[in-house]
Structures are given as structure tokens and as C-alpha cells.
Amino acid sequence: MVDLFHWSLTQIDETDIESLIPFVFRYPKWKSERGAANKRKELFADQVDWLN
């Protein structure tokens, strides 16, 4: 996470693990679909239901 997202260890430590886990599991799927021809609408973190 430090290398991939440039998060400091302090930021990771201060992050609620319950909100971090869904992100970590969904990131690979998002990354693989990113180059797809049918791009999804851009959403911000407070707009996605799976982070709430």
C-alpha cells in the first residue's frame, strides 16, 4: 500500500480497517476494468455504496 498508493505507514495505521478491506478487495477488479472500452462514470469515495 505504501508503494502502490504512496500512503505513509501512519496513514495506514490511522485508517479504519473495516473501511480499508473493501477497498483492497475491489481495487484489483477496478484496475483490470479501467482500460475497458465501456468506461464507468467517475465516482468519488462518498458516492459509492460499498464504502459506506
Side-chain angles (χ1 to χ4, degrees):
M1 307 238 11
V2 173
D3 291 334
L4 186 61
F5 300 111
H6 307 287
W7 292 352
S8 70
L9 293 177
T10 303
Q11 289 172 315
I12 294 170
D13 187 48
E14 292 173 349
T15 301
D16 178 28
I17 191 68
E18 290 182 9
S19 64
L20 188 59
I21 289 173
F23 173 78
V24 170
F25 283 110
R26 290 180 188 262
Y27 179 78
K29 182 179 178 191
W30 171 84
K31 186 71 173 172
S32 68
E33 293 175 352
R34 188 173 173 197
N38 58 351
K39 290 188 178 184
R40 297 182 194 177
K41 178 183 170 188
E42 180 176 325
L43 296 174
F44 296 93
D46 62 346
Q47 294 175 306
V48 293
D49 59 350
W50 55 269
L51 283 178
N52 294 333

